[in-house]
Amino acid sequence: MNELEIEKLLNWYQENKRDLPWRHTSDPYKIWISEIMLQQTRVEVVKEYYKRFLAKLPRMEDLAKVKEDTLLKLWEGLGYYSRAKNLKKCASRVLELGMKTLPEEEESLLDLPGIGPYTAGAILSIAYQKCYPAIDGNVLRVLSRIYEDDRDILTPVVRKEYTSLLKSLMKEESAREFTESFIELGALVCIPNGIPHCKDCPFKDICKSFKHQTMLEYPKKKLKKERKKIKKTVFVFQFDGEYVIQKRKDGVLKGLYEFPNEDIEMTPKECYEKLSQKGYKIKSVESLGCFKHVFSHLEWHMTAYLIFLKEKPKNLKFYSKRRIEHEYSLPSAFQQIFQKLK
Ligand code: ADE
């Protein structure tokens, strides 16, 4: 790959780029928010979340001061909630350090919570026009195909090598477009699933895997560890048209709300007996069905029951559907059960 090839890529980008909300700004705060959202979520989904987030929290100070519940509500449905918690931590740290916005030095950015080499590169190149590449899985896919690179793309050695290659090809006047054009090529042409659109690719003259028609063999896949599967019973307590939700104290989804649940599978009868033993006065138990939620490292297989109570227990807090919908962050895993109640 040489300067001429990069010129072809930048020309291709000018002709083909999508009009995305974060492409109308170079405010480092806004670029940072977009990049964090885009890390594990599709562009089409991020668009609306990005606009709503910035309408509510337009400045670093707003994010540093926001209540965690409000923040998690804004993030509801995006998943990987540690991203949101780190955003707030990072904003507070930046302000504590006496800075008005994110720093312009790579070292200082990497010291901040939730900012790794990819995000630092994206902020430096897109917001500050500096020659730091942003290398994510999409860029690594493009490169592994161009070079028919048989190595595991997730290893630090590979990343380091491609970082210096791309850095040597970047120019300050087009640093932003350089980063965006690689991202765009990975999204529109050198796609992850299905046959890539090689005839439209600005790199088709140098791409080894196009030459040998081996595109689908790259990047080389490492065998993935199987996800742990957890069976759960979810109790949706109902009294007087209201339902119980509670804050998760630890583990995955900590700080978000849930319907009470246990990590075992129960029949309606077992459910009735167990809850009666605990002292709940139950009118009836109704099955809501089975639900699955997949996290990156585990799967929940949930059986949910709607439990109509005769008396309101003192130890449980009940909420209307409207409040659950508008005020509390109920993650997707439980949202699908909540939708059944509507
Ligand atoms: N994915 C990661 N960063 C992106 C960006 N800036 N634009 C579009 N998709 C992206």
Side-chain angles (χ1 to χ4, degrees), residues 18 20 22-23 35 38 43 118 126 136 180 183-184:
R18 291 166 294 177
L20 302 172
W22 46 91
R23 291 194 173 154
E35 288 300 334
L38 286 159
V43 166
Y118 169 80
I126 298 176
D136 68 353
E180 289 177 334
I183 291 170
E184 206 68 348

Side-chain angles (χ1 to χ4, degrees), residues 145-146 203-212 215:
R145 285 175 175 167
I146 292 177
F203 290 134
K204 64 173 177 283
D205 298 337
I206 58 157
C207 182
K208 287 191 182 172
S209 74
F210 176 55
K211 187 170 175 193
H212 304 130
M215 300 85 73

Side-chain angles (χ1 to χ4, degrees), residues 66-118:
V66 71
K67 282 208 298 220
E68 182 165 285
D69 273 6
T70 310
L71 176 66
L72 292 174
K73 187 70 192 161
L74 277 172
W75 207 265
E76 182 186 270
L78 272 181
Y80 300 93
Y81 292 85
S82 58
R83 291 184 291 172
K85 294 177 197 165
N86 276 332
L87 279 179
K88 180 173 156 67
K89 264 194 226 158
C90 182
S92 307
R93 182 79 59 83
V94 165
L95 299 181
E96 269 163 34
L97 291 169
M99 298 185 276
K100 284 204 169 56
T101 190
L102 292 160
E104 289 189 50
E105 299 76 35
E106 189 189 31
E107 289 274 292
S108 321
L109 281 171
L110 291 173
D111 270 347
L112 294 167
I115 299 192
Y118 169 80

Side-chain angles (χ1 to χ4, degrees), residues 145-159:
R145 285 175 175 167
I146 292 177
Y147 294 108
E148 283 193 313
D149 192 331
D150 288 315
R151 297 172 298 175
D152 176 358
I153 55 167
L154 297 177
T155 57
V157 179
V158 175
R159 171 180 288 278

